[in-house]
Amino acid sequence: MTEHQSDRLHALRTALEDRARDWLERALSEPDTLELSFAAAGRACGPAHATGVRVALLAAHGPDGERLGRLYQHGTAAERLAVLRALPELPLGTDGLPLVHDALRTNDPRLVAEALGRYGARYLTPHDWRQAVLKCLFTGIPLTEVYGLARRCAGDAELARMLRDFADERTAAGRPVPDDLHHALELTTATRDPAVPGEHQPPSQRSPFNQQSPFSQEA
Amino acid sequence: MRIFDPHIHMTSRTTDDYQAMYAAGVRAVVEPAFWLGQPRTHPASFFDYFDALLGWEPFRAAQYGIAHHCTIALNPKEAGDPRCLPVLDELPRYLVKDGVVAVGEIGYDSMTPAEDTALATQLQLAADHELPALVHTPHRDKAAGLTRTLDLVRESSLPIERVLIDHLNETTVDAATDSGCWRGFSIYPDTKMDPARMVALLRSHGTERVLVNSAADWGRSDPLTPRQVGEAMLAAGFTEDEVDLVLWRNPVEFYGLSGRLDLSVAEPLSGTHEGNSILRGGE
């Protein structure tokens, strides 16, 4: 367990009431009942802690790609969100990408935003990442939700072209251009970090990055 | 006037309806799993639909400050189609979800042996998952359908106090009342029950364990009929507290039997009701 995960568990234990805490301890110690605990986390621990508890359960039990995929496919919107949030902490490499793509196709902005978290920021191809950013602008998801926005925008001439075209389209229709767009456009003018996935690089096959350097190529 | 519609098929309603419902005081709904109009022919059609009741529809409702929960089941009509029966095997993984507050709608459509089996199986599932059950009385041969329904409930391990029997009317309300079940009434614009008749029934049979719903769906129906009932009650001399009991506290109590009701999404009413304390669900 990383220090961050340990801190998070401690915070959860402190925040939960006795019955919920006991439930959590049982759920953390029983890997076979993960599916059941995952489903019941909301009513067991309250809506405010449901996502945190679900992520903690996934981090503790570390389901493989197949089991995780099933948890996602069988999940409610809330459960799917927790799966997406937990992706960076699981030993998946790029195996979580199909779930990210599924979330990006949905009409639920919470899932789209979560798909653009740490894991999506690292592994989405440039084309798919640009399309997702544009979707945020279309659907009113604030770009502050996009993890690592500045680093991936930097030097992206193609994204800049797409943003300008979208701005032109809105203006021609007499409709407002989202403020976020101007901010993103400005970010594209910065110099690109060579560690960020480029046009012809496949997503990294290395293990999930640590918190300090999200785009580090080090294992 | 705060309203909890305990039986409404939001999948078949437009977003305009959510707006109108919110304006009328609706802050919570329960959407029972049912048929879609065009008959389903594959179990997978049900699973995508159940996922919508646990994903897209609660999201849509939340955009309008309305808390949305669902009931899950193989509905009476499609229980008669052998191609749909495998749905029963998948129900357990849905019945453990946070957002599922009952097994339903179950019951009879044409009173066939296949329907007997589906009803008995699902009553047992409700007992196994510590959920209440929402039972639909048939539109055809209703009184006989109710009798057979009550027989099956008594044979099951689900206590009658955890069963809501819906679409009741003048010819079925006595048997339902005597049984000790929760009593549901669906108020449609032209057919079935209307606000005036509903008020008469509340006078003669009391407000305890009564739920009033719009059962709004694909047909000619109106999500605002519970509001009309509330107004008719006030006009007939019932108190605001009695209206609140029937239109809010009774549904909260019945679905609260699941231990899963979460009304935190429901936005407080402006005006007379303040704060979130009134919106806490029953455990």
Side-chain angles (χ1 to χ4, degrees):
Chain A
M1 189 184 301
T2 67
E3 196 179 319
H4 166 72
Q5 287 169 340
S6 165
D7 288 346
R8 181 178 60 198
L9 252 183
H10 176 75
L12 263 177
R13 284 171 172 134
T14 310
L16 290 174
E17 305 198 349
D18 288 349
R19 221 174 70 165
R21 190 172 41 242
D22 290 345
W23 179 93
L24 178 59
E25 299 307 339
R26 262 195 320 276
L28 286 169
S29 66
E30 292 170 9
D32 289 345
T33 60
L34 173 59
E35 280 73 12
L36 207 52
S37 312
F38 201 65
R43 61 187 178 277
C45 301
H49 298 297
T51 301
V53 164
R54 288 189 170 113
V55 173
L57 287 173
L58 292 176
H61 294 306
D64 65 20
E66 201 187 311
R67 193 175 187 191
L68 188 72
R70 226 172 21 248
L71 282 164
Y72 181 90
Q73 289 309 328
H74 290 180
T76 63
E79 293 167 27
R80 290 181 186 190
L81 192 141
V83 169
L84 295 166
R85 186 161 298 178
L87 287 178
E89 301 184 38
L90 302 170
L92 295 170
T94 56
D95 288 352
L97 259 185
L99 303 184
V100 168
H101 285 303
D102 185 284
L104 287 174
R105 283 192 297 268
T106 69
N107 303 300
D108 187 333
R110 300 165 303 180
L111 296 180
V112 174
E114 202 62 47
L116 283 164
R118 205 149 53 98
Y119 188 89
R122 171 146 193 196
Y123 290 115
L124 280 168
T125 65
H127 173 86
D128 292 337
W129 189 84
R130 287 181 202 122
Q131 285 286 333
V133 167
L134 209 56
K135 183 164 181 170
C136 288
L137 290 167
F138 262 86
T139 55
I141 297 168
L143 292 186
T144 45
E145 298 290 314
V146 180
Y147 187 92
L149 181 74
R151 295 188 72 151
R152 286 205 69 156
C153 277
D156 193 336
E158 176 63 1
L159 179 64
R161 196 267 313 152
M162 291 163 77
L163 294 173
R164 279 193 295 269
D165 283 355
F166 177 49
D168 288 346
E169 200 180 317
R170 278 285 173 95
T171 306
R175 295 176 60 202
V177 177
D179 291 337
D180 283 26
L181 186 148
H182 301 297
H183 173 61
L185 207 44
E186 207 178 303
L187 291 174
T188 62
T189 62
T191 311
R192 189 170 199 77
D193 179 340
V196 173
E199 210 54 63
H200 303 291
Q201 279 174 316
S204 171
Q205 299 291 326
R206 294 174 195 250
S207 56
F209 47 81
N210 61 37
Q211 265 207 302
Q212 277 74 46
S213 42
F215 299 111
S216 171
Q217 298 277 2
E218 326 252 357
Chain B
M1 191 184 290
R2 55 181 183 170
I3 298 168
F4 183 146
D5 194 330
H7 184 147
I8 181 168
H9 300 289
M10 293 311 299
T11 301
S12 56
R13 311 302 304 196
T14 69
T15 315
D16 287 0
D17 284 320
Y18 273 120
Q19 269 183 323
M21 288 160 66
Y22 181 87
V26 177
R27 291 296 180 273
V29 297
V30 166
E31 176 164 5
F34 213 48
W35 44 271
L36 285 176
Q38 183 64 23
R40 299 180 183 100
T41 60
H42 305 279
S45 304
F46 288 83
F47 307 148
D48 284 342
Y49 168 68
F50 295 159
D51 288 346
L53 296 182
L54 291 162
W56 175 245
E57 215 48 60
F59 167 70
R60 202 160 70 115
Q63 301 309 291
Y64 292 90
I66 293 175
H68 177 292
H69 298 77
C70 67
T71 77
I72 299 285
L74 174 60
N75 66 79
K77 221 187 275 267
E78 288 168 326
D81 186 336
R83 293 171 297 186
C84 300
L85 280 180
V87 169
L88 290 174
D89 299 328
E90 283 297 294
L91 290 181
R93 76 167 174 86
Y94 282 100
L95 297 181
V96 298
K97 299 300 191 188
D98 279 336
V100 178
V101 292
V103 170
E105 299 183 52
I106 53 180
Y108 288 105
D109 178 66
S110 308
M111 315 268 268
T112 66
E115 290 172 17
D116 281 331
T117 308
L119 178 54
T121 302
Q122 294 180 98
L123 286 169
Q124 187 56 48
L125 280 172
D128 294 344
H129 286 86
E130 299 182 326
L131 287 171
L134 165 58
V135 182
H136 150 111
T137 52
H139 299 304
R140 301 185 299 274
D141 205 12
K142 189 183 282 279
L146 174 61
T147 304
R148 195 147 148 186
T149 300
L150 289 174
D151 286 345
L152 240 80
V153 171
R154 287 188 197 107
E155 281 166 33
S156 80
S157 32
L158 188 62
I160 191 75
E161 301 80 33
R162 294 174 73 86
V163 176
L164 165 60
I165 305 211
D166 215 335
H167 313 319
L168 295 172
N169 59 16
E170 288 83 354
T171 60
T172 48
V173 64
D174 286 326
T177 304
D178 290 345
S179 77
C181 69
W182 286 75
R183 306 173 290 173
F185 298 87
S186 304
I187 319 296
Y188 291 117
D190 301 324
T191 60
K192 317 285 186 309
M193 183 62 49
D194 68 28
R197 286 165 56 198
M198 188 66 235
V199 168
L201 279 171
L202 287 167
R203 273 237 174 75
S204 57
H205 288 75
T207 55
E208 312 81 48
R209 307 167 72 81
V210 165
L211 301 187
V212 166
N213 63 70
S214 67
D217 59 10
W218 310 96
R220 189 160 144 61
S221 45
D222 180 355
L224 304 184
T225 57
R227 170 94 197 188
Q228 292 167 13
V229 168
E231 285 166 358
M233 286 175 73
L234 292 173
F238 283 92
T239 65
E240 279 184 12
D241 187 70
E242 286 167 315
V243 172
D244 190 69
L245 175 69
V246 171
L247 296 183
W248 184 266
R249 299 194 318 261
N250 280 350
V252 168
E253 187 183 336
F254 176 72
Y255 286 115
L257 292 173
S258 67
R260 305 181 196 183
L261 212 54
D262 170 17
L263 297 174
S264 53
V265 156
E267 284 176 18
L269 294 170
S270 56
T272 50
H273 298 282
E274 289 179 313
N276 286 325
S277 57
I278 58 170
L279 298 175
R280 226 165 265 136
E283 287 298 335

